[in-house]
Amino acid sequence: MENRALVKRIAALEQRLKSYKPFIRASVVITRKPCIRKGCRACREGYKHISPLLTVSVEGKSKNRYLPMKLIAEARWRTENYRKTKRVLEQMSGL
């Protein structure tokens, strides 16, 4: 009986894994920084512009890539899918 329960549990976890695609191992970071235009009124008044980044650690070093505003929601969804996938794999390895 225990073996059947284990097989069922693994099958359920595999189904969950399939639903978490696509994913990306990264983080979405929103930074604020001044722009390069000299006459920018917002920067002159102390406001900074939003600069979204996709950040990933490679061999212990952070790599950042600019993320267009229209892709922020999708990138967050994919990074959350990675976290969910990682949790399920940890559950599977603990069985």
Side-chain angles (χ1 to χ4, degrees):
M1 227 23 189
E2 186 178 304
N3 197 18
R4 281 188 190 170
L6 182 60
V7 169
K8 272 183 134 177
R9 178 76 176 138
I10 290 172
L13 290 171
E14 286 174 345
Q15 281 302 112
R16 282 178 52 195
L17 277 177
K18 288 178 185 178
S19 69
Y20 296 146
K21 291 181 182 177
F23 62 85
I24 185 169
R25 186 185 62 87
S27 297
V28 176
V29 178
I30 307 295
T31 60
R32 292 185 167 271
K33 53 185 169 179
C35 68
I36 59 172
R37 295 185 335 209
K38 292 188 186 249
C40 176
R41 188 178 73 187
C43 292
R44 191 173 58 239
E45 293 174 358
Y47 298 104
K48 295 181 181 178
H49 300 276
I50 293 174
S51 179
L53 300 172
L54 191 63
T55 303
V56 65
S57 178
V58 179
E59 296 178 4
K61 295 183 179 183
S62 292
K63 303 286 182 179
N64 300 315
R65 295 291 177 255
Y66 173 74
L67 185 63
M69 295 293 278
K70 64 183 180 182
L71 296 179
I72 292 174
E74 182 176 346
R76 283 186 173 154
W77 174 68
R78 288 179 183 228
T79 58
E80 182 58 30
N81 281 350
Y82 172 74
R83 286 189 260 293
K84 290 176 182 176
T85 298
K86 189 174 174 183
R87 281 192 293 267
V88 170
L89 289 174
E90 287 173 358
Q91 288 176 355
M92 290 177 83
S93 65
L95 294 178

